[in-house]
Amino acid sequence: AILALHPDCVVLHVTCAASLMHAACRRPPSACVAAMVLGLTYLFGAPVFAQNIDGGRSELPGMKQDMFDMAQKQKKVGGQRRSRGPPDCPKSDKMSPFWGLAFVSGELFVKVNSTESTCSRLLTVGGANLTVLTNASRTCGPAGEVKKRIAEDLSAVFFQAGLDWVKHENEMIEIVTEEGTFEVPVNEEKWAAQSECWARGCDCEQAKNPIGKAMLWTLLFVAIGGLVADSAKLSLEKVRGKKPQKHVECRKGHKMEEVKLCRTHVCDVCRSLGTCYQCSVSCPYDMCKKCYKEAKKKAKEDLQAWYEKHPEEKAKDEEKKKEKKAKKGGASEAEDSDGDTGKEGRAESEAESTAKADSETGKESQADSSKPDEETDKEAEEKAAEASEDKQDSK
C-alpha cells in the first residue's frame, strides 16, 4: 500500500526489500529464496515500473493526456531533438505531363506534344503557376532540390500545395503556355523522358547559349595552349639547361641591391648580423657583404661555363651590349652638344655681365677720385682766407 502511494520513493523500496528479507529468515529455505527475489525486484525494478503512473492507461488510443503524461514522455525520449529542416516529401507516383522541361532565368519552358517539339514558356499547370509550385516544393525535402522536385516529383509538389492531381495514369490535365491551352495526359513515359534530360535543358532553344559556349571553348583553348607552351619550355630547359643569371638574386628570383649597413638585420645565408644587400623588391631577404661576393663569384663562373657550352648565346649578349652602348653614346653626344651650346650662351652672358660690372666700377672710381680733389681745393681756399685775415689783424 505504501509503494502504491509513493512509487518514486527509493527509500521505501529499500525498506520494503529489507523487511521482506528479514521476514524470510524465519521461513523455510524455499520461502527465504522467494522473499529475497521479491525484495530485489522491489529494489531494482520498482523505479523502472514507476514510470507509468496510471498503469499505462494514458497511452491507450483515444485517452486524453495531461501535462504529467507529456513530462513522462519527454523523460522517455531523453535528449533527442527534432530536426529544424522541413519534413520529408510524400512519395511520388513517377508521372509527368511534360515530355521535357528547362529552367531558364527564373522561367519554366516545357515540351507539350513530343520530345522533338519546341519549348514554350509555362504559365500554369493544373491551375498552379511556377511561383506556387516553387513555394510548395520548399515545404518539404532538402533545401537544394527545389527544381528537382518540380521536375521529377510533381505529384508530391501538388500534394504539398493542396492542389488536385490526377488519380490514375493517362488522365488529362490542363496546361497553359504562351502558345495556348492544352489538355494533355499524364503518364510514366513522359516522366522517364523528362527525368533524363531536364538537367541539360532537354534541347530547348531558350537554354542554349552560343556566346557562353564560345567563351568557354576559347578559355579552354587558351588554357591548353598555355599548358603546352609551359611544358615545351620546361622540357627544353631540361635538355639544354637553364641559362644562369648575371646578377645575384633572392630566393624568388629578384635582383639584390646594395644598401646602407643594417646592423640589426640577419644574413639569410650565413645567419650573421649586419647586412649590406637586400632584395630590390619587397622580399625580406638580406645578405652580408661576404656572402654577396661569394654568390657573385659563383654566378660569374656559372655564366662563363654556360657561354663555353653555348657560344651563340655569348655572341647574342655581346651584340645586345654593343647596341645598348651605341644608344647610350648617341644620347650622351646629344647631351654634350646641348651642353656646349648652353656653355657658349653662358660665356656670352658672363662676358656681358663682367663688362657692365667694369664700367660701373670705373665710374665709381672716377667719382671717388674727383671727390678728394674738390676737398683739397676747399681746404686751400680756407687756408688762404685765414692767412689774409691774420695779416689784416696785424696791421
Side-chain angles (χ1 to χ4, degrees):
I2 294 173
L3 289 174
L5 293 175
H6 302 281
D8 295 333
C9 186
V10 180
V11 177
L12 291 177
H13 289 292
V14 174
T15 305
C16 290
S19 61
L20 286 171
M21 284 187 278
H22 179 69
C25 295
R26 301 178 182 178
R27 301 291 179 181
S30 59
C32 181
V33 172
M36 291 179 68
V37 171
L38 184 60
L40 293 174
T41 303
Y42 273 119
L43 183 61
F44 296 104
V48 177
F49 299 141
Q51 298 293 331
N52 294 328
I53 300 174
D54 57 353
R57 288 189 295 274
S58 61
E59 296 180 359
L60 295 175
M63 298 296 293
K64 294 183 178 180
Q65 296 183 353
D66 54 10
M67 57 183 299
F68 299 102
D69 298 328
M70 300 298 295
Q72 292 295 328
K73 281 188 177 181
Q74 290 180 359
K75 289 181 180 180
K76 290 180 180 179
V77 172
Q80 296 180 0
R81 296 181 180 179
R82 295 181 180 178
S83 60
R84 297 183 179 179
D88 294 335
C89 292
K91 190 175 180 180
S92 174
D93 59 359
K94 306 296 182 181
M95 292 192 297
S96 175
F98 312 120
W99 287 100
L101 60 83
F103 294 92
V104 181
S105 301
E107 298 289 343
L108 181 60
F109 296 86
V110 298
K111 289 183 178 182
V112 179
N113 297 325
S114 64
T115 56
E116 303 297 332
S117 63
T118 59
C119 297
S120 57
R121 188 167 69 91
L122 178 69
L123 299 180
T124 60
V125 51
N129 56 14
L130 181 60
T131 304
V132 174
L133 297 177
T134 303
N135 294 334
S137 179
R138 289 173 178 167
T139 59
C140 65
E145 297 181 358
V146 176
K147 295 180 179 179
K148 182 179 178 181
R149 284 190 288 273
I150 295 175
E152 298 182 2
D153 302 329
L154 191 58
S155 61
V157 175
F158 266 71
F159 179 82
Q160 291 294 119
L163 303 173
D164 294 332
W165 182 247
V166 296
K167 297 180 180 179
H168 53 81
E169 191 175 1
N170 292 323
E171 186 177 348
M172 308 300 286
I173 191 171
E174 183 182 15
I175 295 176
V176 181
T177 65
E178 290 181 339
E179 297 179 356
T181 304
F182 304 93
E183 291 285 338
V184 296
V186 180
N187 52 45
E188 296 181 356
E189 183 181 0
K190 292 182 178 181
W191 179 89
Q194 172 188 300
S195 60
E196 290 180 359
C197 68
W198 76 268
R200 300 186 301 274
C202 292
D203 294 332
C204 291
E205 295 181 357
Q206 295 83 356
K208 295 178 181 179
N209 189 0
I211 298 175
K213 288 184 178 180
M215 292 178 64
L216 291 174
W217 280 110
T218 303
L219 292 175
L220 179 61
F221 290 143
V222 169
I224 294 173
L227 182 62
V228 171
D230 292 340
S231 302
K233 186 177 179 180
L234 289 174
S235 59
L236 185 63
E237 287 181 356
K238 286 184 178 181
V239 173
R240 294 187 58 189
K242 188 177 180 181
K243 182 180 178 180
Q245 297 294 330
K246 299 178 182 179
H247 308 285
V248 181
E249 298 178 345
C250 67
R251 293 172 182 172
K252 294 185 178 181
H254 303 145
K255 183 181 176 181
M256 299 294 292
E257 62 180 3
E258 188 176 3
V259 294
K260 293 182 180 180
L261 177 63
C262 300
R263 300 184 183 277
T264 57
H265 288 198
V266 180
C267 177
D268 289 283
V269 180
C270 63
R271 312 305 297 175
S272 61
L273 284 173
T275 59
C276 299
Y277 297 88
Q278 68 179 10
C279 178
S280 58
V281 194
S282 59
C283 300
Y285 192 83
D286 302 285
M287 293 179 71
C288 63
K289 197 169 185 179
K290 180 182 177 182
C291 295
Y292 180 83
K293 287 182 177 180
E294 292 178 356
K296 185 71 174 177
K297 183 179 179 181
K298 184 180 179 182
K300 287 182 178 179
E301 292 176 355
D302 295 341
L303 185 61
Q304 191 64 28
W306 169 266
Y307 283 151
E308 291 177 358
K309 293 181 180 179
H310 306 278
E312 67 278 2
E313 296 291 337
K314 186 176 181 180
K316 290 181 181 179
D317 292 343
E318 288 178 354
E319 289 179 1
K320 288 180 181 180
K321 286 182 181 179
K322 288 179 181 180
E323 290 177 359
K324 288 182 180 179
K325 286 181 180 180
K327 290 181 181 179
K328 288 182 180 179
S332 61
E333 287 177 1
E335 290 177 358
D336 293 339
S337 62
D338 294 338
D340 293 338
T341 54
K343 288 179 180 178
E344 291 176 358
R346 290 175 186 173
E348 291 177 357
S349 61
E350 288 177 359
E352 291 177 358
S353 62
T354 52
K356 290 180 181 180
D358 292 339
S359 62
E360 289 176 358
T361 53
K363 291 178 181 179
E364 290 178 357
S365 62
Q366 288 176 3
D368 294 337
S369 61
S370 62
K371 285 180 181 180
D373 293 338
E374 292 175 357
E375 290 177 357
T376 53
D377 292 340
K378 288 180 180 180
E379 289 177 357
E381 290 176 358
E382 289 176 358
K383 287 180 180 180
E386 289 177 357
S388 62
E389 287 177 359
D390 291 339
K391 286 179 180 180
Q392 290 176 2
D393 293 334
S394 62
K395 288 178 179 181

